[in-house]
Amino acid sequence: MDIIATHINYYTICHRKLWLFAHAIQMEHTSNTVYDGKLLHETSYSQRAEKHSEMELTAKWDGLTLHGKVDFYDHKHKMIHETKRGKSIEQAHTLQVKFYIWLFERNGIDGVTGRIEYPKLRKTTEVLLSRTDVAFLEETIHGVHKLIHQKKCPETINSKICKKCSYYQLCYIDEP
Ligand code: SF4
């Protein structure tokens, strides 16, 4: 089975979101938040593509195939750059970048760090990977694998992040 960075991200945000995504129920085309995020990604750093390259990473771990696609990697400084819209799901953003750093390590490239940029907030967050993080990622990946294979869709979480989620209509609008 393949585990991708989006699985790690969604597992951190909401188990139901991951389950829906993994079962090919996708509604990102209906989400203004997702559209805004893509626009931000394309416009804020249009010059960046000249200095950074896209990296696709794959590694085998515990019978699973792990995949990550880094949009902007600075080879010279061994740094991953991620652009995000807001900090409401910062923990998920950070774990996603840690997952990428771990994939670099598993491909024999050590010393990679990450930087998450929030252009609208004019803030950046530096990301490093510790051995504790690796243990947490391993535990998370086992959790992702188990959750994806469970038959029942997890319950809604009634969180403030739901209103920004692409599944909001599916989760709440049809409720009586
Ligand atoms: S709307 Fe809320 S409960 Fe539904 S998938 Fe999104 S985050 Fe989870």
Side-chain angles (χ1 to χ4, degrees), residues 34-46:
V34 172
Y35 176 74
D36 283 357
K38 284 192 174 146
L39 204 59
L40 173 77
H41 186 81
E42 284 161 15
T43 55
S44 298
Y45 293 92
S46 52

Side-chain angles (χ1 to χ4, degrees), residues 13-18 20 154-159 161-172:
I13 298 169
C14 167
H15 288 186
R16 180 179 171 91
K17 186 176 173 96
L18 170 60
L20 291 168
E155 297 295 324
T156 55
I157 57 171
N158 289 306
S159 160
I161 64 160
C162 291
K163 286 202 173 155
K164 292 184 179 173
C165 175
S166 58
Y167 293 110
Y168 181 72
Q169 288 209 333
L170 179 76
C171 289
Y172 298 105

Side-chain angles (χ1 to χ4, degrees), residues 9 12-13 86-94 118 161:
N9 185 312
T12 311
I13 298 169
K87 282 184 161 233
S88 59
I89 49 172
E90 188 178 13
Q91 194 194 351
H93 298 157
T94 305
Y118 299 91
I161 64 160

Side-chain angles (χ1 to χ4, degrees), residues 138-149:
E138 291 177 352
E139 196 183 304
T140 301
I141 290 165
H142 281 139
V144 166
H145 185 246
K146 195 169 162 205
L147 187 78
I148 287 176
H149 287 90

